[in-house]
Amino acid sequence: MVNFLMSGCNGRMGQVIAESVKERSDIALVCGVDTYTERKNDFPVYPDFTAINEKVDVIIDFSNPSALDGLLAYAIENSIPCVLCTTGYSDAQLEAIGKASEKIAVFRSGNMSLGINLLIELAKTAAKVFGQDFDVEIVEKHHKMKIDAPSGTALMIADGIASVRDDDPEYIYDRHSVRKKRDQNEIGISSIRGGTIVGEHDVIFAGNNEVLTITHQAQSRSLFAVGAINAAAFLAGKPAGSYDMSDLLKERY
């Protein structure tokens, strides 16, 4: 049995994960960390990582970038692998995550959905075929409570496309302040926030007289919960290093 700690346990995704894991027999949620310490489930909730008493095999984090320092310090001190699902990290925090992966196993993904990761592979294939003959635009939509923009998933998609292109793509987030035609090496990224949209991503390849759009719609947060739980079960016991969804897919599929 794999025992995991949920960082951000009282947030939306933390609550979905707490409910989803009840259906599993191979992994259990034994405690949580949250700035709001109200106990909403049958496991203890601590205000920070220094107060934890339970034996933990792996951490799932769906919280806030501000929690990263305490999380990594606890994980490294206790040799506990981490599944980092939080987005919006700064460059300095990404560097800290990279250094941590030299000591512990770190699984990081801007999106835990199998469908999104397949979309990225399809977008990379399209980018290879179309080359610079097609302009690329990414449109992401999320609920009005989401703080960071663009989404981590949109950046994952852009990074995947950029990795297979021969030019050096420039990410363009805002066009209103510059009056000029589109440069050939741009990847446009647009963000929409409103209502209760769980998550939608469109990747648009616009060429001469034809347009290809690849779309993914998340209709429930439970799909992200299942992905995070699967990642935790996969990561427990793994040696130090950086892992992502492609490593999980290779092992399972």
Side-chain angles (χ1 to χ4, degrees):
M1 174 70 75
V2 174
N3 294 327
F4 77 92
L5 178 159
M6 182 72 232
S7 174
C9 62
N10 283 338
R12 292 184 179 184
M13 278 307 306
Q15 289 298 296
V16 176
I17 287 174
E19 188 62 30
S20 297
V21 78
K22 293 177 181 179
E23 302 175 4
R24 301 283 291 261
S25 60
D26 59 330
I27 185 168
L29 175 50
V30 295
C31 63
V33 170
D34 203 293
T35 53
Y36 302 100
T37 55
E38 177 185 356
R39 185 164 177 167
K40 298 182 177 181
N41 301 279
D42 59 354
F43 55 83
V45 179
Y46 300 104
D48 58 60
F49 291 91
T50 62
I52 296 169
N53 297 313
E54 284 72 19
K55 178 185 179 299
V56 176
D57 300 310
V58 64
I59 300 168
I60 297 178
D61 176 63
F62 258 113
S63 59
N64 186 284
S66 62
L68 182 67
D69 289 347
L71 186 155
L72 290 182
Y74 170 78
I76 292 171
E77 181 180 355
N78 295 279
S79 301
I80 301 174
C82 301
V83 178
L84 302 180
C85 309
T86 298
T87 59
Y89 291 122
S90 67
D91 290 342
Q93 288 177 315
L94 292 174
E95 183 178 353
I97 292 170
K99 290 182 179 178
S101 69
E102 298 173 2
K103 301 177 181 179
I104 57 174
V106 177
F107 187 112
R108 190 172 76 86
S109 177
N111 192 296
M112 302 304 298
S113 160
L114 176 62
I116 276 291
N117 285 274
L118 177 57
L119 177 147
I120 292 172
E121 293 304 315
L122 294 173
K124 288 165 65 175
T125 299
K128 290 178 184 177
V129 173
F130 294 146
Q132 293 182 318
D133 294 332
F134 280 64
D135 299 322
V136 180
E137 293 285 327
I138 299 168
V139 180
E140 57 97 350
K141 308 171 189 176
H142 284 86
H143 55 88
K144 62 184 178 183
M145 302 301 290
K146 186 171 178 60
I147 297 173
D148 57 312
S151 68
T153 301
L155 293 175
M156 282 175 59
I157 297 169
D159 289 344
I161 293 170
S163 71
V164 299
R165 285 179 44 160
D166 294 331
D167 58 354
D168 186 16
E170 179 183 6
Y171 298 173
I172 301 298
Y173 307 105
D174 184 10
R175 300 187 186 279
H176 86 278
S177 60
V178 179
R179 295 181 61 84
K180 67 171 186 176
K181 69 175 185 178
R182 192 185 199 282
D183 291 331
Q184 191 174 30
N185 71 326
E186 291 181 11
I187 295 179
I189 305 177
S190 301
S191 299
I192 296 172
R193 297 289 177 268
T196 58
I197 301 172
V198 175
E200 298 181 15
H201 293 83
D202 297 323
V203 187
I204 303 166
F205 292 88
N208 291 327
N209 303 312
E210 62 177 327
V211 175
L212 171 68
T213 301
I214 308 173
T215 298
H216 179 271
Q217 296 181 346
Q219 298 178 342
S220 168
R221 289 184 176 83
S222 62
L223 70 94
F224 305 125
V226 171
I229 294 168
N230 286 338
F234 159 81
L235 198 65
K238 287 286 190 296
S242 296
Y243 300 83
D244 59 25
M245 185 61 77
S246 65
D247 298 302
L248 173 60
L249 294 179
K250 289 176 184 175
E251 180 168 292
R252 294 194 57 164
Y253 303 103

